[in-house]
Amino acid sequence: MAKAASDSGPDSSGEPDGSREKGDVPGSTPSDGPAPTAPAAGSGSGSGAASDTRAGAVELPVWTKTLGWCGVAGLIYLLICAVSIISRGFAGLGGDAAHTMFAFAEHPWVGLSVGVLGTVLIQSSTTTTAIAVTAVGSGALPIQGAIPIILGANVGTTVTTSLVALTFIGDRTEFRRALGASTVHDFYNWLALLIFFPIELIWHPLEHISGALTNALYGTDWLPNPAHFNFIRAATGPVEHGVVHATSQVSSALGPLFTIVIGAVLILVAVRYLGKLLKMLMVGRARDTLVKAVGRNPYLAMASGMGVTVITQSSTITTSVLVPFAGAGVLTPAQVYPVVVGSNLGTTFTVVFAAFAGVGQDARIGLQAAFVHLIYNLFAIVAIYVIPLLRPVPLFCAESLARVASEHRWVLAVYLGTVFIALPALVIVLVGVV
């Protein structure tokens, strides 16, 4: 009951679509009626405490809270390390295959499918984009062939977040919440692709605008290279390198596979215990603080998602960390939605910053490819999120899939296997090979 009461409150206090999330918490009872008054602004501590006390919440000792929050920080660190470890494993396992796939990616539909499938294999949209840029610089692909790959990479990078949601599959309610929060990223990117890919095929606005920006800004050298201040990578590097070094000693061929398995196990452990700690700690003022930071103003939440992604240099990390909060009922899919949108934009700035620092024959084309990614995501924000008409669509699709998949678990396996693997592979084979 405590969870139901506090879940329904924050939704109605900021996110434009938040009112749709009142039904997100199953098992509602008549006591849910007065719940929206619990997280009232200004007097939140008093009413929140009263709500928690009324629901029978237990106030934890200070030392227990301190240890708990230290545990949360450690598990988030472990989760970030695990995502990086999986990316390294897939890069070692699938990098050569991705290079081979780009050889016949001149057809736009094949390029799009290569971008999706290649990113699923190596778990890094930045790596996929970099490989495409290299292919362009070497003459293997024109810029027109690289653009569909970049758009496809924007979609393929969402798979990891859905896999994190699978760790909640043991509890139907938590699984539905986590999956709804994670797949909103999928459907947002699919909707953006559905809108802009046909437009690019006909009128090529991304190619023209990115080319104009590149000609105007190339060689200015006024943006820093984010690789020089990537504190997250520096913090997680020892764990990541330690695991990769250990698995490479086992077998050079099977080492990447062992790396992926270790990363997956670490995600399972981190998310499982992170959810347990958050349920215990995120009550009263702690819950209200997080909801205010993420759910009160969607555009501030978007800016937060962008900022965190610039720091971590991974939209996957940003969105994956939020999934346990959604599974625990602390955040709703509607509140995670703008953070996801911001993370999409944040990862493009990283590529642009790095492209400005590039030198050599591929530098100019690399900067144009980076601008393609940036412009595409800016257009997507305006068309899907800023304009209210399409804003509810990704959230509705994500919640619908989560609701069905929580009842029939095989639906998620079919969705992930078909959309991210079977369909792109089929297009590559039928159009690119046959």
Side-chain angles (χ1 to χ4, degrees):
M1 281 236 218
K3 192 190 302 184
S6 51
D7 278 351
S8 60
D11 298 345
S12 60
S13 62
E15 165 58 32
D17 302 319
S19 59
R20 301 181 63 254
E21 289 300 306
K22 290 183 180 179
D24 185 58
V25 183
S28 297
T29 66
S31 62
D32 291 336
T37 60
S43 60
S45 60
S47 58
S51 176
D52 290 342
T53 303
R54 195 166 53 241
V58 178
E59 182 67 23
L60 298 174
V62 175
W63 65 270
T64 304
K65 289 182 179 179
T66 302
L67 288 177
W69 285 114
C70 289
V72 168
L75 289 170
I76 290 177
Y77 171 77
L78 184 63
L79 178 61
I80 295 172
C81 289
V83 172
S84 300
I85 288 169
I86 289 180
S87 297
R88 284 288 298 271
F90 272 110
L93 186 66
D96 293 339
H99 273 290
T100 303
M101 290 162 62
F102 287 142
F104 47 87
E106 290 189 32
H107 191 284
W109 286 100
V110 176
L112 178 66
S113 300
V114 165
V116 174
L117 188 57
T119 305
V120 169
L121 288 176
I122 62 180
Q123 289 292 287
S124 172
S125 59
T126 302
T127 301
T128 305
T129 302
I131 295 173
V133 168
T134 302
V136 172
S138 64
L141 271 178
I143 185 63
Q144 294 91 339
I147 291 176
I149 295 174
I150 294 170
L151 303 192
N154 213 51
V155 172
T157 192
T158 64
V159 170
T160 303
T161 312
S162 298
L163 296 179
V164 171
L166 281 174
T167 59
F168 291 90
I169 200 167
D171 185 292
R172 180 174 296 175
T173 300
E174 292 182 352
F175 179 56
R176 179 168 57 82
R177 291 170 177 165
L179 188 61
S182 63
T183 54
V184 72
H185 198 185
D186 298 30
F187 290 107
Y188 173 82
N189 283 338
W190 280 117
L191 181 58
L193 185 67
L194 184 65
I195 295 171
F196 291 104
F197 184 57
I199 294 176
E200 181 63 24
L201 290 180
I202 298 172
W203 293 292
H204 311 289
L206 296 177
E207 179 186 350
H208 296 323
I209 297 174
S210 63
L213 281 175
T214 301
N215 293 333
L217 298 176
Y218 181 73
T220 56
D221 197 26
W222 55 273
L223 289 177
N225 186 346
H228 296 160
F229 53 90
N230 190 344
F231 303 112
I232 300 297
R233 181 61 58 84
T236 60
V239 176
E240 178 185 338
H241 295 313
V243 171
V244 172
H245 178 73
T247 54
S248 64
Q249 302 301 314
V250 178
S251 169
S252 58
L254 296 178
L257 184 60
F258 286 130
T259 301
I260 294 168
V261 172
I262 291 173
V265 171
L266 290 179
I267 285 181
L268 178 65
V269 172
V271 174
R272 178 180 178 84
Y273 290 100
L274 187 59
K276 291 180 180 295
L277 280 177
L278 290 173
K279 282 183 181 179
M280 179 179 68
L281 296 169
M282 295 304 296
V283 294
R285 183 173 298 177
R287 176 189 288 264
D288 292 345
T289 299
L290 179 65
V291 170
K292 287 177 182 178
V294 174
R296 179 57 61 89
N297 187 306
Y299 293 101
L300 290 179
M302 191 184 301
S304 300
M306 183 182 69
V308 171
T309 302
V310 170
I311 293 174
T312 63
Q313 298 190 32
S314 173
S315 60
T316 301
I317 289 176
T318 304
T319 53
S320 295
V321 166
L322 291 178
V323 172
F325 288 87
V330 177
L331 296 175
T332 67
Q335 292 166 330
V336 172
Y337 184 12
V339 182
V340 164
V341 174
S343 71
N344 258 19
L345 187 60
T347 193
T348 67
F349 282 111
T350 299
V351 179
V352 170
F353 292 164
F356 267 103
V359 294
Q361 62 177 355
D362 298 339
R364 180 182 290 271
I365 198 70
L367 182 59
Q368 182 174 358
F371 277 137
V372 167
H373 203 191
L374 171 63
I375 295 164
Y376 170 62
N377 279 284
L378 281 173
F379 284 174
I381 288 176
V382 173
I384 299 175
Y385 199 87
V386 175
I387 300 175
L389 180 64
L390 294 178
R391 185 189 300 164
V393 174
L395 189 61
F396 172 78
C397 294
E399 290 177 332
S400 298
L401 174 64
R403 186 165 50 251
V404 174
S406 65
E407 299 292 336
H408 309 283
R409 311 297 169 83
W410 57 268
V411 170
L412 180 61
V414 171
Y415 163 71
L416 294 177
T418 301
V419 172
F420 290 100
I421 298 177
L423 189 58
L426 188 64
V427 171
I428 291 172
V429 171
L430 294 181
V431 180
V433 178
V434 177

